[in-house]
Amino acid sequence: MLHPDPELRQIRWGVAGPGRAAARFAQGLQAVPAASLSAVWGRTAERAHAYAQRFSVPQVCDSLSQLVAADVDAIYVATHPDTHAEICLQALAAGKHVMCEKPSALNEQQLRRILEAAHRHGRLFMEAMKPPFFPLYRKLREYLQADPIGPVGFVRAGHCDSTLAPDYPLHFAELGGGGVMGIGPYEAFLALDWLGPLRRVQTMGRLSPAGVDAFALFQTEHERGMAQLHTGLDLLSRGDALLCAPRGYVTIHENWWNPVRATVRYIDGRTVELHEPFVAGGFNYETDHFCQLIRGGQLESPEITHALSLGMARLLEAARTALGVRFPGEDT
Ligand SMILES: NC(=O)c1ccc[n+]([C@@H]2O[C@H](COP(=O)([O-])OP(=O)(O)OC[C@H]3O[C@@H](n4cnc5c(N)ncnc54)[C@H](OP(=O)(O)O)[C@@H]3O)[C@@H](O)[C@H]2O)c1
């Protein structure tokens, strides 16, 4: 039964793919008001049951069809990118709102099909892109409005992780892996968020024996500036992010995709330190935003717009295809 106060209406979630991201989603959901985890479906039944036990999920579904038919408002898609499109399409067709992990699809074409389905079925779709919802990121935006450095014209960001185990999903082309797909979405977001729509991409890099990018350096040109971005699976760095403007620059300190601390340096010599910790693992902020959009009857996030997700998909596809990375299922 619907709560008489729409602001307090309980949002019931179903989870597809009870892995690492889904565990952080469940942790975050505990800090989201009026939201509950009602059902889970996993390819491997034991893992789905273990997840249900760990996070007190009342219903374990035997199939994706059962999950999308369950008594839930929204589905959180946390499988690998090779299955995002298929699961999102089924969930939307069943009348569920969908929040899908990044990258939202293997390529732009798949994402367009998802967005068309969301539109056709009148359901909310949002890519789970967490940084802009973190308290630090919000604070930084507010701060720069109050004490501006001028328009940001250059963004630099990167992250390489050589500590991932050999069976980690990003090492596999058939799962939609590679550094560009795994780490790149955050960098694509940062560049598009500060510099506007994409104009072109230049890429250098090298492939792993499995055919995914082991290292990629990509430069992007946008309507309002340029970015220099990198990702890697065989080198180690936990970079900060740099935003440069005419009257100052910002460093979002490591790990900038889970932002906690930023330094703003002004042309007049002032330095301002911002510090905003996050709670509950950090997925709670985007999930709360999504729940509020459902309650408000909105079909698109004003923060992670469909156009922004398309821009991210286009940027990632351009960066990896320039290196020769193609995925088995992406043309279907
Ligand atoms: N926002 C963030 O901070 C964040 C962090 C990590 C990951 N992610 C994103 O989350 C997604 C999942 O990554 P992860 O690290 O959580 O992966 P993971 O730990 O390997 O979990 C993936 C889940 O998907 C299931 N799965 C895999 N292939 C499937 C298929 N063909 N059909 C049905 N289910 C399938 C797995 O089932 P099995 O147990 O049977 O293998 C597992 O439950 C990726 O898109 C990744 O980019 C986001």
Side-chain angles (χ1 to χ4, degrees), residues 209-266:
V212 298
D213 50 296
F215 182 77
L217 181 62
F218 39 116
Q219 313 199 112
T220 57
E221 188 183 3
H222 301 254
E223 278 185 6
R224 300 193 297 274
M226 295 172 205
Q228 204 168 42
L229 312 166
H230 70 265
T231 70
L233 302 177
D234 62 2
L235 301 174
L236 187 63
S237 76
R238 301 218 194 280
D240 47 19
L242 184 69
L243 314 172
C244 300
R247 297 193 300 281
Y249 62 95
V250 177
T251 306
I252 308 176
H253 297 278
E254 63 187 67
N255 298 331
W256 61 263
W257 55 97
N258 291 319
V260 172
R261 206 162 64 79
T263 304
V264 188
R265 291 194 174 82
Y266 287 89

Side-chain angles (χ1 to χ4, degrees), residues 83-325:
T83 50
H84 285 179
E86 178 196 338
I87 297 173
C88 290
L89 290 172
Q90 277 207 47
L92 291 164
K96 305 302 193 245
H97 305 291
V98 173
M99 185 167 84
C100 178
E101 259 310 332
K102 52 67 160 170
S104 50
L106 281 184
N107 55 32
E108 186 183 347
Q109 192 197 355
Q110 285 192 352
L111 177 57
R112 284 192 184 280
R113 282 173 38 209
I114 295 171
L115 297 177
E116 278 164 19
H119 183 70
R120 191 167 61 249
H121 297 291
R123 291 295 176 268
L124 169 64
F125 175 85
M126 187 183 94
E127 182 169 4
M129 176 51 57
K130 63 189 171 172
F133 302 101
F134 271 54
L136 183 280
Y137 203 92
R138 288 184 182 282
K139 173 81 174 259
L140 176 63
R141 274 185 175 148
E142 281 168 25
Y143 195 86
L144 293 181
Q145 278 208 331
D147 193 354
I149 55 175
V152 172
F154 175 65
V155 170
R156 192 204 66 207
H159 170 49
C160 298
D161 196 344
S162 57
T163 69
L164 301 173
D167 63 351
Y168 198 84
L170 290 187
H171 292 303
F172 299 91
E174 60 272 29
L175 301 180
V180 167
M181 291 292 273
I183 302 163
Y186 298 126
E187 300 171 359
F189 161 75
L190 198 71
L192 290 161
D193 192 38
W194 291 94
L195 302 172
L198 183 68
R199 284 195 175 149
R200 66 186 171 122
V201 183
Q202 293 178 331
T203 318
M204 285 189 284
R206 56 172 185 274
L207 301 189
S208 74
V212 298
D213 50 296
F215 182 77
L217 181 62
F218 39 116
Q219 313 199 112
T220 57
E221 188 183 3
H222 301 254
E223 278 185 6
R224 300 193 297 274
M226 295 172 205
Q228 204 168 42
L229 312 166
H230 70 265
T231 70
L233 302 177
D234 62 2
L235 301 174
L236 187 63
S237 76
R238 301 218 194 280
D240 47 19
L242 184 69
L243 314 172
C244 300
R247 297 193 300 281
Y249 62 95
V250 177
T251 306
I252 308 176
H253 297 278
E254 63 187 67
N255 298 331
W256 61 263
W257 55 97
N258 291 319
V260 172
R261 206 162 64 79
T263 304
V264 188
R265 291 194 174 82
Y266 287 89
I267 199 166
D268 61 11
R270 284 179 301 133
T271 296
V272 175
E273 299 286 351
L274 304 178
H275 184 241
E276 292 288 329
F278 61 89
V279 298
F283 282 32
N284 38 310
Y285 304 105
E286 60 185 342
T287 309
D288 186 37
H289 171 75
F290 191 92
C291 290
Q292 290 182 31
L293 293 177
I294 295 178
R295 294 188 193 102
Q298 286 172 267
L299 301 183
E300 183 174 354
S301 163
E303 298 257 8
I304 307 299
T305 62
H306 292 174
L308 177 61
S309 282
L310 282 168
M312 291 189 266
R314 198 172 304 137
L315 194 162
L316 301 178
E317 189 171 351
R320 73 176 164 81
T321 54
L323 297 177
V325 177

Side-chain angles (χ1 to χ4, degrees), residues 4-26:
D5 181 349
E7 296 210 350
L8 293 177
R9 183 158 83 77
Q10 186 80 5
I11 304 299
R12 299 152 305 168
W13 284 87
V15 164
R20 278 171 284 252
R24 284 180 65 187
F25 170 80

